[in-house]
Amino acid sequence: MIDLHCHLLPGIDDGPRDIAGSLALARAQVAAGVRTVAVTPHAIERFPNDGQTIVRGLEELSAALRDAEIPLALLRGAEVDLLHALEHADDELAQLTLGDSSWLLLEAPTVSVAPLEAGVERLQRRGFQLLLAHPERAPMLQREPAMLSRLVRRGVRTQLTAGGLNGQFGKTVQRFALRLVDAGLIHTFASDAHDVSRRPPGLREPLQQAGLGEHAELLCGEHPAALLAGDGLPEHVPLRRRTSLLHRLRS
């Protein structure tokens, strides 16, 4: 499986503080069945990480993984704040895309002041393809789901976070996440892992708990691989949820 959203690099954002924490997180990723991870530190005012910083950290961590015999492949990436993206030149943003693709992992705004639709349009005109991280946690999208539908029609693709399905971010987020799944508006699935305890990795298990286990290869393998290859994804992704009677009664 491929995890396109993981704060794995040490000491540069709110992920692991040191290399030991990164190695522990990498081992947990492998134990969860993940073989490729895009390191995606925040690129935001609080953590103004640039391409050079990320590549240097990636190279150092890759060497540490080899020394520790942890079979995890790393790819370049970043979780880019919308306003941060709009303020930076094309060549700077191009160093923050996922792997060698033109896909930029854009953080869904958690405040309503961010000009999401207008900002997306500007970035697309500049040639970037946009993968929207954790739309289920964006209050503006919770209030206006039609906005996400419009963005998807304009070519934006989405990435649901594991914690959004299992209730880690609360019932409101969980209900909205399932609503987006049922509407066919979820294209990929990622951990957004930060550590092994507070924000741990895991892809297949949360999908299975939500009745989406049969789609794990599609959401965590085929679709992420297509993005990394520079390919597009279908606008809508019909996903069938298989839930037990007990699960439905508890919900």
Side-chain angles (χ1 to χ4, degrees):
M1 291 190 291
I2 302 171
D3 189 350
L4 291 183
H5 190 169
C6 181
H7 297 260
L8 187 60
L9 296 182
I12 64 173
D13 68 350
D14 54 350
R17 294 183 179 181
D18 51 32
I19 192 69
S22 294
L23 293 178
L25 181 51
R27 289 189 181 94
Q29 285 279 25
V30 172
V34 174
R35 293 296 177 264
T36 301
V37 164
V39 297
T40 53
H42 289 288
I44 193 172
E45 183 178 1
R46 180 184 172 194
F47 302 114
N49 292 302
D50 58 20
Q52 290 184 340
T53 299
I54 293 169
V55 168
R56 182 168 60 249
L58 185 151
E59 292 174 347
E60 293 173 355
L61 181 55
S62 294
L65 292 176
R66 288 193 296 272
D67 291 342
E69 298 183 344
I70 300 174
L72 189 66
L74 304 184
L75 300 172
R76 181 194 70 191
E79 183 182 12
V80 186
D81 171 71
L82 176 60
L83 298 180
H84 185 88
L86 294 173
E87 292 171 355
H88 285 72
D90 289 353
D91 59 342
E92 296 171 325
L93 278 185
Q95 297 179 48
L96 302 178
T97 56
L98 295 168
D100 295 323
S101 75
S102 60
W103 286 92
L104 198 68
L105 182 63
L106 187 69
E107 183 172 23
T110 55
V111 295
S112 299
V113 297
L116 182 56
E117 289 188 275
V120 162
E121 184 178 355
R122 286 176 59 186
L123 290 172
Q124 288 178 323
R125 286 202 305 265
R126 290 166 58 181
F128 292 100
Q129 295 176 287
L130 302 176
L131 181 62
L132 189 65
H134 51 70
E136 73 281 0
R137 287 161 51 194
M140 67 171 64
L141 297 177
Q142 293 171 7
R143 290 192 298 269
E144 189 184 349
M147 183 187 301
L148 186 61
S149 296
R150 294 194 296 269
L151 291 173
V152 169
R153 286 197 300 271
R154 294 170 186 168
V156 173
R157 295 297 177 256
T158 63
Q159 181 188 85
L160 187 70
T161 300
L165 281 181
N166 63 21
Q168 182 179 10
F169 301 101
K171 290 295 184 182
T172 298
V173 170
Q174 185 179 33
R175 285 192 294 267
F176 188 52
L178 293 173
R179 180 178 174 182
L180 297 180
V181 167
D182 292 340
L185 294 174
I186 297 302
H187 303 87
T188 63
F189 191 66
S191 72
D192 193 4
H194 285 60
D195 51 45
V196 296
S197 55
R198 183 177 58 91
R199 297 279 294 276
L203 299 177
R204 190 178 300 277
E205 184 176 352
L207 284 171
Q208 290 175 337
Q209 291 172 348
L212 294 164
E214 66 184 277
H215 304 295
E217 180 57 36
L218 178 71
L219 298 172
C220 309
E222 295 174 19
H223 279 187
L227 293 180
L228 293 171
D231 299 332
L233 296 178
E235 184 174 308
H236 286 90
V237 182
L239 300 173
R240 179 173 55 182
R241 286 196 285 137
R242 297 182 181 273
T243 56
S244 66
L245 176 60
L246 179 60
H247 182 274
R248 290 195 296 270
L249 290 174
R250 287 175 175 175
S251 300

